[in-house]
Amino acid sequence: MSQDSAFPIRAAWSPVRRLWWLRPWSPNPLLRPSDRIEAVLRLVVALAVVVAIPIAGASGTAAYTGAAARIRAEDAAKFAVSAVITDKPERTPSHLPEARVRWTHEGRPDTATVRVPNHAAPGDHLTVWLGPDGTPTAAPRRPGAAALTGIAVGAVVLNGTWVVAYLLTQGAVWLLEQRHEVGWSRQWRQFNSPIEEDPQ
Protein backbone atom coordinates (compact mmCIF):
# COMPACT_ATOMS: atom_id res chain seq x y z
CA MET A 1 0.00 0.00 0.00
CA SER A 2 1.36 3.39 -0.98
CA GLN A 3 1.75 6.29 1.41
CA ASP A 4 -0.92 8.27 -0.46
CA SER A 5 -3.50 5.48 -0.18
CA ALA A 6 -2.80 5.05 3.53
CA PHE A 7 -3.32 8.74 4.29
CA PRO A 8 -7.16 8.67 4.11
CA ILE A 9 -7.20 5.73 6.53
CA ARG A 10 -5.01 7.60 9.00
CA ALA A 11 -7.15 10.73 8.56
CA ALA A 12 -10.32 8.75 9.19
CA TRP A 13 -8.90 7.15 12.31
CA SER A 14 -7.52 10.36 13.79
CA PRO A 15 -10.83 11.48 15.43
CA VAL A 16 -11.26 8.01 16.91
CA ARG A 17 -7.74 8.03 18.27
CA ARG A 18 -8.28 11.50 19.69
CA LEU A 19 -11.42 10.32 21.48
CA TRP A 20 -9.48 7.36 22.84
CA TRP A 21 -6.75 9.65 24.16
CA LEU A 22 -9.39 11.87 25.80
CA ARG A 23 -11.13 9.01 27.60
CA PRO A 24 -11.85 9.85 31.27
CA TRP A 25 -9.72 6.97 32.59
CA SER A 26 -6.73 7.84 30.42
CA PRO A 27 -3.41 7.83 32.33
CA ASN A 28 -2.24 10.83 30.30
CA PRO A 29 -0.92 13.35 32.88
CA LEU A 30 -1.63 16.25 30.50
CA LEU A 31 -5.38 15.75 30.84
CA ARG A 32 -6.87 18.32 33.18
CA PRO A 33 -9.67 17.38 35.59
CA SER A 34 -12.01 19.53 33.54
CA ASP A 35 -11.08 17.54 30.42
CA ARG A 36 -11.99 14.33 32.21
CA ILE A 37 -15.30 15.86 33.38
CA GLU A 38 -16.10 16.89 29.82
CA ALA A 39 -15.28 13.39 28.56
CA VAL A 40 -17.56 11.81 31.17
CA LEU A 41 -20.33 14.24 30.24
CA ARG A 42 -20.02 13.38 26.57
CA LEU A 43 -20.19 9.67 27.35
CA VAL A 44 -23.33 10.14 29.44
CA VAL A 45 -24.95 12.24 26.72
CA ALA A 46 -24.05 9.69 24.04
CA LEU A 47 -25.59 6.96 26.18
CA ALA A 48 -28.74 9.05 26.68
CA VAL A 49 -29.02 9.63 22.92
CA VAL A 50 -28.79 5.89 22.24
CA VAL A 51 -31.24 4.97 25.03
CA ALA A 52 -33.71 7.58 23.73
CA ILE A 53 -34.24 5.56 20.54
CA PRO A 54 -36.05 2.57 22.12
CA ILE A 55 -37.85 4.89 24.54
CA ALA A 56 -39.17 6.95 21.62
CA GLY A 57 -40.21 3.74 19.86
CA ALA A 58 -42.09 2.52 22.94
CA SER A 59 -43.76 5.91 23.40
CA GLY A 60 -44.83 5.99 19.75
CA THR A 61 -46.20 2.44 19.97
CA ALA A 62 -48.17 3.27 23.11
CA ALA A 63 -49.56 6.43 21.51
CA TYR A 64 -50.54 4.50 18.38
CA THR A 65 -52.28 1.78 20.40
CA GLY A 66 -54.21 4.31 22.48
CA ALA A 67 -55.18 6.41 19.46
CA ALA A 68 -56.31 3.35 17.50
CA ALA A 69 -58.48 2.13 20.38
CA ARG A 70 -59.96 5.60 20.88
CA ILE A 71 -60.74 5.99 17.17
CA ARG A 72 -62.39 2.56 17.04
CA ALA A 73 -64.52 3.36 20.08
CA GLU A 74 -65.59 6.73 18.68
CA ASP A 75 -66.33 5.43 15.20
CA ALA A 76 -68.26 2.41 16.44
CA ALA A 77 -71.03 4.70 17.74
CA LYS A 78 -71.32 6.72 14.52
CA PHE A 79 -73.68 5.98 11.66
CA ALA A 80 -74.32 7.62 8.29
CA VAL A 81 -77.57 8.91 6.82
CA SER A 82 -78.41 10.34 3.43
CA ALA A 83 -79.49 13.98 3.72
CA VAL A 84 -80.75 16.57 1.25
CA ILE A 85 -79.82 20.25 1.21
CA THR A 86 -82.91 22.37 1.80
CA ASP A 87 -81.47 25.91 1.87
CA LYS A 88 -78.90 27.86 -0.10
CA PRO A 89 -75.41 27.37 1.40
CA GLU A 90 -73.92 30.36 3.23
CA ARG A 91 -70.36 31.23 4.09
CA THR A 92 -69.39 31.23 7.77
CA PRO A 93 -66.95 33.81 9.23
CA SER A 94 -64.21 31.26 8.52
CA HIS A 95 -65.33 31.16 4.84
CA LEU A 96 -66.60 27.58 5.07
CA PRO A 97 -69.93 26.80 3.33
CA GLU A 98 -72.75 25.56 5.53
CA ALA A 99 -76.38 24.75 4.71
CA ARG A 100 -79.52 23.39 6.26
CA VAL A 101 -80.06 19.71 5.49
CA ARG A 102 -82.88 17.23 6.15
CA TRP A 103 -82.80 13.47 6.64
CA THR A 104 -84.97 10.67 7.91
CA HIS A 105 -83.71 7.95 10.24
CA GLU A 106 -85.87 5.11 11.53
CA GLY A 107 -88.96 6.92 10.30
CA ARG A 108 -88.15 10.15 12.15
CA PRO A 109 -87.29 13.28 10.14
CA ASP A 110 -84.64 15.65 11.42
CA THR A 111 -82.72 18.73 10.29
CA ALA A 112 -79.42 20.43 11.09
CA THR A 113 -76.91 22.91 9.69
CA VAL A 114 -73.74 21.16 8.51
CA ARG A 115 -70.70 21.72 6.36
CA VAL A 116 -71.33 21.20 2.66
CA PRO A 117 -69.05 21.11 -0.41
CA ASN A 118 -68.22 24.37 -2.15
CA HIS A 119 -70.30 23.45 -5.21
CA ALA A 120 -73.36 22.31 -3.19
CA ALA A 121 -76.84 23.62 -4.05
CA PRO A 122 -80.37 23.08 -2.69
CA GLY A 123 -81.69 19.65 -3.61
CA ASP A 124 -78.24 18.00 -3.58
CA HIS A 125 -77.79 14.82 -1.54
CA LEU A 126 -74.86 14.22 0.78
CA THR A 127 -73.83 11.83 3.54
CA VAL A 128 -74.15 13.10 7.11
CA TRP A 129 -72.56 11.25 10.01
CA LEU A 130 -74.50 11.16 13.28
CA GLY A 131 -73.35 10.40 16.80
CA PRO A 132 -75.08 8.22 19.40
CA ASP A 133 -77.43 11.11 20.28
CA GLY A 134 -78.45 11.55 16.65
CA THR A 135 -76.70 14.88 16.11
CA PRO A 136 -74.22 15.51 13.27
CA THR A 137 -70.62 14.66 14.09
CA ALA A 138 -67.32 14.33 12.29
CA ALA A 139 -66.83 11.54 9.79
CA PRO A 140 -64.79 8.53 10.91
CA ARG A 141 -61.09 9.20 10.79
CA ARG A 142 -58.85 7.35 8.38
CA PRO A 143 -56.99 4.27 9.65
CA GLY A 144 -53.67 6.07 9.20
CA ALA A 145 -54.60 8.73 11.78
CA ALA A 146 -53.50 6.49 14.66
CA ALA A 147 -50.21 5.70 12.90
CA LEU A 148 -49.53 9.41 12.37
CA THR A 149 -50.19 10.02 16.07
CA GLY A 150 -47.69 7.33 17.06
CA ILE A 151 -45.06 8.64 14.66
CA ALA A 152 -45.53 12.21 15.90
CA VAL A 153 -45.19 11.20 19.56
CA GLY A 154 -42.09 9.11 18.88
CA ALA A 155 -40.48 11.92 16.87
CA VAL A 156 -41.20 14.48 19.60
CA VAL A 157 -39.70 12.26 22.31
CA LEU A 158 -36.62 11.42 20.24
CA ASN A 159 -35.92 14.92 18.94
CA GLY A 160 -36.70 16.48 22.31
CA THR A 161 -34.21 14.20 24.04
CA TRP A 162 -31.52 14.90 21.46
CA VAL A 163 -32.05 18.65 21.62
CA VAL A 164 -31.91 18.70 25.42
CA ALA A 165 -28.78 16.53 25.40
CA TYR A 166 -27.12 18.84 22.86
CA LEU A 167 -27.98 21.98 24.80
CA LEU A 168 -26.75 20.50 28.09
CA THR A 169 -23.51 19.43 26.46
CA GLN A 170 -22.90 22.81 24.84
CA GLY A 171 -23.71 24.62 28.08
CA ALA A 172 -21.34 22.46 30.10
CA VAL A 173 -18.56 22.81 27.53
CA TRP A 174 -19.04 26.59 27.52
CA LEU A 175 -18.76 26.72 31.32
CA LEU A 176 -15.61 24.61 31.25
CA GLU A 177 -14.09 26.82 28.56
CA GLN A 178 -14.87 29.91 30.62
CA ARG A 179 -13.16 28.27 33.58
CA HIS A 180 -10.13 27.52 31.41
CA GLU A 181 -9.94 31.11 30.21
CA VAL A 182 -10.07 32.42 33.76
CA GLY A 183 -7.27 30.06 34.76
CA TRP A 184 -5.15 31.05 31.75
CA SER A 185 -5.67 34.74 32.49
CA ARG A 186 -4.65 34.28 36.10
CA GLN A 187 -1.53 32.34 35.12
CA TRP A 188 -0.66 34.93 32.44
CA ARG A 189 -0.89 37.76 34.96
CA GLN A 190 1.37 35.86 37.33
CA PHE A 191 3.84 35.24 34.52
CA ASN A 192 3.92 38.91 33.50
CA SER A 193 4.09 40.31 37.04
CA PRO A 194 7.41 42.08 37.78
CA ILE A 195 9.96 40.07 39.71
CA GLU A 196 10.98 41.76 42.92
CA GLU A 197 14.69 42.44 43.09
CA ASP A 198 16.62 41.02 45.98
CA PRO A 199 17.65 43.74 48.43
CA GLN A 200 21.35 44.50 48.37
Side-chain angles (χ1 to χ4, degrees):
M1 181 182 296
S2 65
Q3 184 176 0
D4 293 340
S5 60
F7 177 75
I9 299 178
R10 291 198 301 269
W13 274 97
S14 57
V16 177
R17 298 168 75 177
R18 181 175 182 274
L19 289 175
W20 177 250
W21 290 335
L22 294 176
R23 64 191 186 278
W25 57 88
S26 173
N28 187 350
L30 298 179
L31 277 179
R32 299 165 296 187
S34 58
D35 295 329
R36 299 181 188 276
I37 293 174
E38 181 179 345
V40 170
L41 177 63
R42 292 187 181 277
L43 286 176
V44 172
V45 169
L47 180 62
V49 167
V50 173
V51 172
I53 297 176
I55 293 178
S59 300
T61 301
Y64 164 76
T65 303
R70 186 169 57 254
I71 291 174
R72 285 194 300 269
E74 293 175 354
D75 292 347
K78 298 177 180 179
F79 58 95
V81 295
S82 178
V84 60
I85 300 176
T86 59
D87 296 334
K88 182 179 179 180
E90 296 181 357
R91 295 283 178 175
T92 63
S94 57
H95 303 288
L96 298 175
E98 290 185 350
R100 196 77 177 172
V101 299
R102 183 182 66 248
W103 69 89
T104 300
H105 177 65
E106 295 181 350
R108 187 185 67 182
D110 206 346
T111 61
T113 300
V114 299
R115 281 276 313 278
V116 296
N118 291 325
H119 59 274
D124 291 349
H125 289 263
L126 73 161
T127 299
V128 175
W129 286 90
L130 305 179
D133 56 355
T135 59
T137 186
R141 283 183 281 180
R142 296 179 180 178
L148 291 177
T149 300
I151 293 173
V153 170
V156 168
V157 172
L158 185 61
N159 292 328
T161 302
W162 286 355
V163 169
V164 170
Y166 174 78
L167 293 177
L168 289 177
T169 302
Q170 294 300 109
V173 170
W174 182 83
L175 290 175
L176 291 174
E177 289 178 351
Q178 295 300 312
R179 186 173 181 271
H180 292 164
E181 290 182 4
V182 171
W184 279 112
S185 298
R186 182 172 60 252
Q187 294 177 7
W188 185 253
R189 287 195 301 270
Q190 293 175 354
F191 179 79
N192 288 335
S193 59
I195 301 176
E196 296 181 1
E197 296 182 356
D198 294 335
Q200 295 297 332

